[in-house]
């Protein structure tokens, strides 16, 4: 069926939230194209940037800029247009609007004005990267970009240190090294991480390993500091008694009969290749 033949003539009166590709134009859905063809106006972050995408798909609908600096005023205007029976779409430069992109105030105001907001499913770098990361996906926390200032970055990570969910960050190539250093410092060199770069594009790369390993790869290969990046960290794993194998506990208990806990935990950790902090903590709680 051709696009024109498939276009519905009566799109309901609403604000449509339309995701666009994050790199591969083939990811633009048929429905996204149809909605963008049919609406009366497309609000986009950057009209020149989106103009190229729209012209690639032969879409000539009028566009209007909506970005962080004018969103509230534009939202008011868009609510008025909806009141006049105009159907509107929101797109961002790439991916799903509102996900580290403008649109939150617009959606809130449009809903408050009593109009429908219709979301279309589609590309989103965080979800796409997570789906192939190999990290737990049953619970995750999307954290957007880490702060650019070092202290705020460390504070932010400190607040997430014991979060058991997979953590997802967006990152820019010129800050990736600093962020990985902060992750090593706060979450620990052993924390499992996955760095997804240029997802859906020619140089798509997934770097997996401990935070220290991924940092070393990024530092030794300048190509890893290029393009668009999603950084994902395994959630905090609680070291508890159940998680410490019985032979390890037996060694710890035996060593504690002759040595102070700190020394015993360090030796038992070395013998069994496990973390000494967990053994020390267990020993303290168990009164060894
Ligand atoms: N709204 C978009 C979405 O749904 O993913 C995200 C917009 S945010 C301003 C841009 C950031 O998303 C980039 O700096 C990068 O961290 C991430 N990103 C976007 N496209 C990507 C891609 N193809 N590969 C990896 N990360 C990407």
């Amino acid at each position: 069926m051709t696009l024109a033949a498939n276009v519905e003539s009566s799109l309901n009166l609403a604000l449509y939230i339309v995701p666009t590709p994050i790199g591969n134009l083939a990811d633009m859905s048929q429905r996204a194209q149809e909605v963008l063809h049919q609406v009366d106006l497309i609000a986009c972050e950057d009209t020149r940037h989106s103009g190229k995408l729209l012209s690639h798909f032969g879409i000539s609908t009028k566009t209007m800029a909506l970005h962080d600096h004018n969103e509230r005023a534009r939202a008011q205007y868009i609510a008025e247009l909806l009141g006049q029976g105009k159907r509107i779409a929101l797109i961002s430069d790439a991916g799903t609007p509102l996900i580290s992109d403008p649109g939150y105030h617009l959606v809130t105001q449009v809903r408050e004005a009593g109009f429908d907001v219709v979301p279309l499913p589609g590309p989103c770098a965080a979800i796409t990267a997570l789906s192939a990361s190999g990290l737990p996906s049953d619970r995750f926390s999307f954290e957007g970009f880490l702060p650019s200032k070092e202290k705020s970055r460390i504070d932010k990570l400190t607040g997430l240190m014991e979060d058991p969910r997979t953590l997802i960050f967006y990152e820019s190539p010129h800050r990736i090294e600093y962020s990985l250093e902060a992750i090593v410092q706060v979450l620990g060199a052993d924390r499992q991480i996955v760095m997804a770069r240029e997802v859906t594009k020619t140089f798509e790369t997934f770097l997996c390993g401990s935070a220290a390993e991924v940092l070393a790869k990024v530092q030794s290969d300048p190509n890893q500091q290029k393009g668009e990046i999603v950084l994902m960290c395994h959630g905090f794993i609680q070291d508890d008694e159940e998680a410490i194998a019985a032979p390890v506990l037996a060694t710890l208990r035996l060593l504690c009969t002759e040595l102070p806990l700190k020394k015993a935990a360090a030796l038992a950790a070395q013998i069994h290749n496990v973390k000494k902090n967990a053994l020390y903590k267990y020993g303290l709680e168990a009164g060894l």
Side-chain angles (χ1 to χ4, degrees):
M1 192 186 301
T2 64
L3 181 62
N6 200 28
V7 168
E8 299 159 30
S9 55
S10 58
L11 201 60
N12 288 335
L13 177 66
L15 168 68
Y16 291 82
I17 308 299
V18 182
T20 55
I22 55 169
N24 188 330
L25 289 179
D27 293 330
M28 184 83 167
S29 79
Q30 179 85 3
R31 186 174 169 215
Q33 293 177 56
E34 289 171 5
V35 167
L36 294 176
H37 264 292
Q38 286 188 69
V39 288
D40 300 292
L41 179 70
I42 302 170
C44 40
E45 266 187 287
D46 178 338
T47 50
R48 276 179 61 187
H49 176 95
S50 294
K52 291 179 199 152
L53 177 87
L54 296 173
S55 83
H56 177 87
F57 290 102
I59 296 164
S60 54
T61 309
K62 230 175 105 189
T63 59
M64 179 185 80
L66 182 143
H67 42 68
D68 287 338
H69 306 293
N70 69 0
E71 185 177 344
R72 285 167 198 259
R74 289 290 201 220
Q76 179 72 35
Y77 176 59
I78 286 172
E80 283 165 23
L81 290 179
L82 285 160
Q84 294 163 20
K86 307 272 190 218
R87 296 150 311 165
I88 317 283
L90 173 69
I91 62 175
S92 61
D93 283 353
T96 301
L98 282 88
I99 307 302
S100 286
D101 269 338
Y104 166 69
H105 298 292
L106 174 63
V107 169
T108 308
Q109 285 192 43
V110 164
R111 284 201 172 279
E112 276 171 12
F115 295 102
D116 287 342
V117 181
V118 176
L120 271 65
C124 174
I127 299 299
T128 310
L130 176 68
S131 70
S133 68
L135 293 173
S137 54
D138 53 341
R139 295 179 70 199
F140 58 88
S141 177
F142 174 66
E143 297 293 333
F145 288 90
L146 276 169
S148 56
K149 293 212 171 76
E150 190 185 352
K151 182 175 179 316
S152 313
R153 197 159 54 229
I154 297 287
D155 288 349
K156 170 87 182 176
L157 287 169
T158 304
L160 295 168
M161 211 163 74
E162 298 199 348
D163 193 319
R165 299 168 295 177
T166 295
L167 304 173
I168 307 177
F169 301 99
Y170 281 163
E171 197 43 273
S172 77
H174 63 272
R175 284 215 301 259
I176 184 64
E177 195 179 342
Y178 302 124
S179 292
L180 287 169
E181 281 169 355
I183 286 170
V184 167
Q185 185 186 331
V186 180
L187 305 186
D190 294 337
R191 184 71 71 106
Q192 286 303 297
I193 67 169
V194 176
M195 185 180 120
R197 202 170 55 82
E198 296 289 87
V199 176
T200 76
K201 304 188 209 178
T202 311
F203 297 107
E204 178 177 285
T205 314
F206 280 76
L207 288 183
C208 312
S210 70
E213 285 166 348
V214 174
L215 172 62
K217 277 187 204 161
V218 167
Q219 284 173 331
S220 64
D221 179 2
N223 283 329
Q224 299 302 336
Q225 296 181 35
K226 290 181 185 159
E228 299 194 278
I229 297 167
V230 180
L231 201 52
M232 293 159 285
C233 306
H234 199 295
F236 179 71
I237 299 171
Q238 185 75 48
D239 283 320
D240 56 21
E241 192 180 343
E242 288 79 42
I244 304 173
V248 184
L249 291 181
T251 307
L252 179 68
R253 285 183 179 280
L254 183 65
L255 290 171
C256 276
T257 59
E258 297 294 329
L259 296 168
L261 173 60
K262 202 167 179 186
K263 186 79 191 153
L267 279 176
Q270 217 177 332
I271 293 165
H272 292 281
N273 195 23
V274 296
K275 285 186 188 162
K276 67 176 179 216
N277 287 351
L279 296 186
Y280 182 66
K281 190 169 164 241
Y282 169 80
L284 283 179
E285 281 163 9
L288 295 177

